[in-house]
Amino acid sequence: MSAVAPTSQTRRPREPSRRGMRLLAAGLTVVCIIELLFAFEQTHAMAAWRAARDIPAPQLDRLWSNAASSLGIAPPLRADHADIPLAGAFSAVDPEQALSGVAFDGAVIRPASEEPWRTEPLRIASGSEPSGDGQTFARRLRAAPDAQIELRRIVDASASPLCGGQSPISAALLHRGSRVDLMLFRSGAKSLCGTWTFEAR
């Protein structure tokens, strides 16, 4: 038998197109660049961390305060080393004020002659912030502008005569040694129910 001559229909293995190879090369180039950038940033981040780790805490605080003030950012409030948890029973400084006493037990506030208020933390406010009644917390509570005001949400409170028959929705607390100030708020335009000051029993 005579050999069959190859015809034009004989298929040859298909080679990758040049366009596909160029796309693959471009994709790999982008991935390599990104990896290099990550490695570069990580190296600088580690160097910055090592440098910051060796800076004394007071100097680091000053650096943060300067940077924050230049950017118009309020510096974070920190607990003072002398601060102690707010707990125990307190009596009214003014015996004629509407709320004669209050006790603190973790997240629960127990006002005298009232149902207990279960609270949730909101945030720490600065004394220089507005208290919602046209004054700052500092002015209302006769405190320093950088005083730390603890804000709490009151959960499912009943109607209270302290808030004109409405339910209190939040409280602001300023704890100074044996003294604690309590501001109570309800919903509405005139949200402040009142401000009371107590001393530890």
Side-chain angles (χ1 to χ4, degrees):
M1 296 179 64
S2 60
V4 177
T7 65
S8 59
Q9 295 180 349
T10 303
R11 294 184 178 178
R12 296 180 180 177
R14 189 174 183 181
E15 298 179 358
S17 67
R18 290 185 179 179
R19 184 167 180 268
M21 292 298 291
R22 281 198 296 269
L23 287 174
L24 180 60
L28 289 174
T29 302
V30 170
V31 170
C32 291
I33 290 173
I34 292 173
E35 290 293 334
L36 285 171
L37 288 174
F38 274 129
F40 182 76
E41 288 296 326
Q42 188 176 17
T43 302
H44 280 264
M46 289 302 296
W49 163 249
R50 292 191 189 98
R53 186 180 56 187
D54 298 331
I55 299 175
Q59 186 178 349
L60 199 57
D61 286 344
R62 284 195 301 274
L63 288 172
W64 162 253
S65 298
N66 292 339
S69 61
S70 65
L71 295 173
I73 302 172
L77 296 173
R78 294 184 176 180
D80 189 86
H81 69 278
D83 288 348
I84 56 175
L86 178 55
F90 294 76
S91 299
V93 171
D94 181 0
E96 296 186 3
Q97 71 181 29
L99 190 54
S100 61
V102 67
F104 299 92
D105 182 14
V108 178
I109 301 176
R110 303 181 188 279
S113 306
E114 291 268 336
E115 291 292 322
W117 300 325
R118 185 167 61 89
T119 68
E120 296 176 346
L122 284 173
R123 65 184 181 90
I124 300 297
S126 170
S128 60
E129 293 184 32
S131 63
D133 63 339
Q135 298 187 41
T136 62
F137 285 110
R139 185 173 180 185
R140 168 65 66 178
L141 300 175
R142 297 183 178 88
D146 62 349
Q148 299 179 33
I149 316 297
E150 180 187 359
L151 302 181
R152 298 189 189 182
R153 178 187 294 109
I154 299 176
V155 183
D156 298 330
S158 303
S160 170
L162 296 173
C163 288
Q166 296 184 40
S167 299
I169 62 169
S170 62
L173 301 166
L174 175 57
H175 186 201
R176 292 177 280 191
S178 63
R179 178 171 292 204
V180 62
D181 295 287
L182 166 66
M183 295 178 69
L184 201 59
F185 300 91
R186 58 176 174 264
S187 61
K190 296 182 179 179
S191 62
L192 180 65
C193 299
T195 304
W196 302 275
T197 302
F198 306 92
E199 285 279 358
R201 293 177 185 171

